[in-house]
Amino acid sequence: RLTSDVTIIPILGSVLDQAKLERVMEQYKVQTVYHAAAYKHVPLVECNPLAGLKNNAIGTAFSLNAAVKTGVETFVLISTDKAVRPTNVMGASKRMAELYCQAMAEAQDQTQISIVRFGNVLGSNGSVVPLFTKQISEGGPITITHPDIIRYFMTIPEACQLVLEASVMANGGEIYLFDMGKPVRIIDLAKKMIKLAGYIPYKDIDIKTIGLRPGEKLYEELLNDNAKCLPTHHEKITIALEESLDFEKIHDEVIDLINLAKRNEINKVVLKMKIMVPEYKSLNSVF
């Protein structure tokens, strides 16, 4: 069992409560913020776009505002590969969070702001591995959304180590990409897990295709087509060179989004997201 002399202080609150964030950061003299708070479940956010937008994009803006206002030294946004050419509200909201962080990084020099963008983490909440393990233990079937769907994976320790490495090398405003290795076909992962459990795929444990979920892509990317990468001294970390927005412009857009969300104007919110993130192409017929 690992032991540590680090004191953990549990604080219950919301990223949408900027005043509380400021009080906490002031009280505990916070030096570094790793901002990972987000709704990450694609179909759930697709069905609840206002909640996803508020938590992921507006919540990031409030968290960063609080960090800058209270003199936090380093702010790191944990982003996602779904922010690249998003096909769903979750990905678009995370790209908006990236844009806000990029703009704030250029608008001030008090807080060092950076972004890390990577894919799926094995064993994390929402990962297919715990789901497949549960389905196998129940005798199957394992359910996949599409036979050709692929995903990139990394382990929790590797993801944490690379996040820390990237945050140390940051100068401000960078988007760091992690080398996720080779993509994995989800159906191959399902077959391998069945075999590792001592069963025969399709005989002992069946695999069923249930169809793509709302907003789900067959494959994810870490970089837009028109963007370029710069190497770093770490072989598994590169820097994406992507367009950013002026801070005053994106700040005004966020204020507009807050007002639209308060009035529950879902279609106008999604339309504004598409304007702010022009590469956002929704797969949801409703939007």
Side-chain angles (χ1 to χ4, degrees):
R1 182 179 177 180
L2 294 175
T3 58
S4 172
D5 58 0
V6 174
T7 302
I8 297 175
I9 303 170
I11 298 169
L12 190 61
S14 168
V15 291
L16 294 173
D17 187 348
Q18 184 175 324
K20 177 161 187 174
L21 292 171
E22 291 175 14
R23 289 196 300 272
V24 170
M25 292 177 188
E26 283 277 16
Q27 181 178 355
Y28 295 101
K29 308 300 179 188
V30 174
Q31 293 176 292
T32 302
V33 172
Y34 292 96
H35 180 63
Y39 291 143
K40 303 177 179 70
H41 195 284
V42 170
L44 188 61
V45 173
E46 201 68 7
C47 295
N48 299 274
L50 288 183
L53 167 84
K54 287 193 284 188
N55 195 60
N56 295 358
I58 297 172
T60 297
F62 286 175
S63 300
L64 183 52
N65 290 347
V68 171
K69 189 174 180 179
T70 58
V72 169
E73 295 173 16
T74 305
F75 184 99
V76 182
L77 170 66
I78 309 299
S79 191
T80 169
D81 52 8
K82 293 175 177 62
V84 179
R85 290 201 291 191
T87 56
N88 48 64
V89 175
M90 184 274 196
S93 66
K94 291 293 284 184
R95 177 56 185 150
M96 289 170 62
E98 289 185 354
L99 287 168
Y100 194 89
C101 290
Q102 287 177 281
M104 179 69 89
E106 292 186 12
Q108 54 80 55
D109 54 11
Q110 176 175 286
T111 301
Q112 189 181 79
I113 303 162
S114 60
I115 301 152
V116 291
R117 184 193 284 168
F118 54 99
N120 302 279
V121 177
L122 285 167
S124 63
N125 288 338
S127 169
V128 295
V129 173
L131 173 62
F132 287 176
T133 300
K134 181 175 183 291
Q135 290 176 334
I136 291 170
S137 69
E138 294 173 348
I142 277 184
T143 56
I144 63 170
T145 58
H146 194 284
D148 296 326
I149 200 164
I150 60 173
R151 289 292 182 266
Y152 292 90
F153 291 97
M154 67 190 339
T155 64
I156 292 175
E158 186 177 20
C160 292
Q161 182 179 352
L162 290 176
V163 167
L164 293 172
E165 290 267 7
S167 65
V168 169
M169 68 174 69
N171 291 313
E174 299 96 340
I175 298 179
Y176 291 99
L177 312 181
F178 296 164
D179 179 359
M180 300 288 294
K182 294 182 179 180
V184 176
R185 293 180 73 223
I186 298 301
I187 193 168
D188 292 339
L189 176 63
K191 291 175 184 177
K192 183 172 288 188
M193 288 186 65
I194 291 170
K195 291 176 182 177
L196 288 172
Y199 300 107
I200 301 173
Y202 299 109
K203 182 179 179 182
D204 301 322
I205 303 288
D206 197 11
I207 301 174
K208 287 189 176 181
T209 301
I210 59 175
L212 290 172
R213 300 173 299 174
E216 187 175 30
K217 291 197 287 188
L218 284 178
Y219 62 95
E220 303 290 357
E221 309 155 278
L222 286 172
L223 193 65
N224 279 307
D225 283 344
N226 59 345
K228 296 181 180 179
C229 270
L230 290 178
T232 69
H233 66 265
H234 196 293
E235 62 180 4
K236 287 198 169 187
I237 302 175
T238 55
I239 300 173
L241 300 177
E242 300 211 18
E243 293 182 2
S244 59
L245 298 178
D246 175 75
F247 180 73
E248 287 188 11
K249 175 178 173 56
I250 194 168
H251 180 267
D252 290 344
E253 297 281 17
V254 167
I255 296 299
D256 286 345
L257 280 168
I258 292 170
N259 291 329
L260 288 171
K262 285 179 180 177
R263 297 196 298 269
N264 205 39
E265 303 210 40
I266 297 176
N267 289 333
K268 288 185 179 180
V269 163
V270 175
L271 178 60
K272 182 167 280 292
M273 290 173 70
K274 289 182 177 180
I275 293 171
M276 294 177 67
V277 185
E279 64 272 24
Y280 169 32
K281 307 297 181 186
S282 177
L283 297 179
N284 191 334
S285 60
V286 177
F287 305 133

